[in-house]
Amino acid sequence: MRLATWNVNSIRARSEDVVAWMTRHAIDVLAIQETKCSNDQFPVMSFAAHGYDVAIHGDGGYNGVAIASRVGLDDVHLGFDGQPTYDGKPEARAISATCDGVRVWSLYVPNGRAPGDPHMSYKLDWLAALAGVTRLELTHDPAAQIALAGDWNVAPTDADVWDPAYFADRTHTSPAERAAFAEFTDAGFFNSADPFAPGPDTYTFWDYQAGRFDKNEGMRIDFALCSPALNDRVFDAFVDVAARQLKGASDHAPLVLDVS
């Protein structure tokens, strides 16, 4: 199986490019984030024309997640038990489905906006709730095949940002956010791409402004955290930086894992 995750930053604007990329790279399952559309606006037919089934969770706003698969798409769940709301409203930030025996999650973790902002508290609560659910799942079935794939909006170490000093007192690198991310690896999930695409200078996101991409001033914030049983099957991984170079591309590059 070739599993990938990609924050596409509006699927309606980029559906043909995304599907062409999936076909070119023989992607079996793609976890998609930031679709920015409602369920009925999602361009399902673009995917169906190339043999992909799609599970969608959109709210018509700036969020939205989906999973596209050509190897099965079963037992779809929208969100997760205990998922926090923001301003009293649920957000479309998590979807999971079983694809050829692997429980694939597509996750779009809240940004946090700024230290001290209410959205930061929401982000930390959201990550804590997800950690509780996924830790319990792994405890109940240590042999489970699980991939927590998505845009985590956390750079876990200083090697995951182009300039740690620049990010001091900003989101994504605070001790609280990094501790929240570490809850998943402490629970037994692996950053499975790391042995094959290690840092520093291995990024998945480059801001559109200030020529960040051309200067490789990026961040690694997109991950596929795998359960031990699935991690044992990962034999290669890469970030497709070329996808970020395309005209009109998303500000994220896809992360790809090869699974035996």
Side-chain angles (χ1 to χ4, degrees), residues 91-232:
E91 293 188 316
R93 292 186 174 275
I95 187 171
S96 59
T98 299
C99 307
D100 193 21
V102 177
R103 191 68 187 169
V104 178
W105 290 68
S106 181
L107 303 167
Y108 183 36
V109 175
N111 178 281
R113 297 180 183 168
D117 190 287
H119 207 259
M120 178 61 74
S121 297
Y122 168 55
K123 177 180 190 173
L124 297 175
D125 290 345
W126 198 96
L127 283 167
L130 178 66
V133 167
T134 54
R135 184 190 304 111
L136 186 62
E137 185 175 1
L138 195 55
T139 299
H140 282 174
D141 184 6
Q145 309 274 331
I146 306 170
L148 306 178
D151 176 0
W152 288 76
N153 270 317
V154 179
T157 74
D158 283 352
D160 298 314
V161 295
W162 63 274
D163 182 2
Y166 173 83
F167 287 96
D169 302 319
R170 296 174 185 258
T171 60
H172 295 65
T173 61
S174 70
E177 290 166 284
R178 287 177 168 177
F181 185 92
E183 286 293 322
F184 295 87
T185 53
D186 290 347
F189 289 93
F190 288 82
N191 179 5
S192 297
D194 207 36
F196 309 100
D201 301 327
T202 301
Y203 305 128
T204 61
F205 168 84
W206 301 259
D207 196 286
Y208 286 129
Q209 301 182 19
R212 297 286 187 218
F213 181 72
D214 291 337
K215 295 182 285 188
N216 198 30
E217 295 178 349
M219 308 173 70
R220 178 161 58 170
I221 56 176
D222 301 86
F223 299 94
L225 301 186
C226 296
S227 63
L230 184 59
N231 182 68
D232 287 345

Side-chain angles (χ1 to χ4, degrees), residues 235-256:
F235 64 89
D236 200 6
F238 64 95
V239 177
D240 187 13
V241 179
R244 177 63 173 82
Q245 295 173 320
L246 300 175
K247 183 179 180 181
S250 169
D251 43 8
H252 292 251
L255 170 67
V256 181

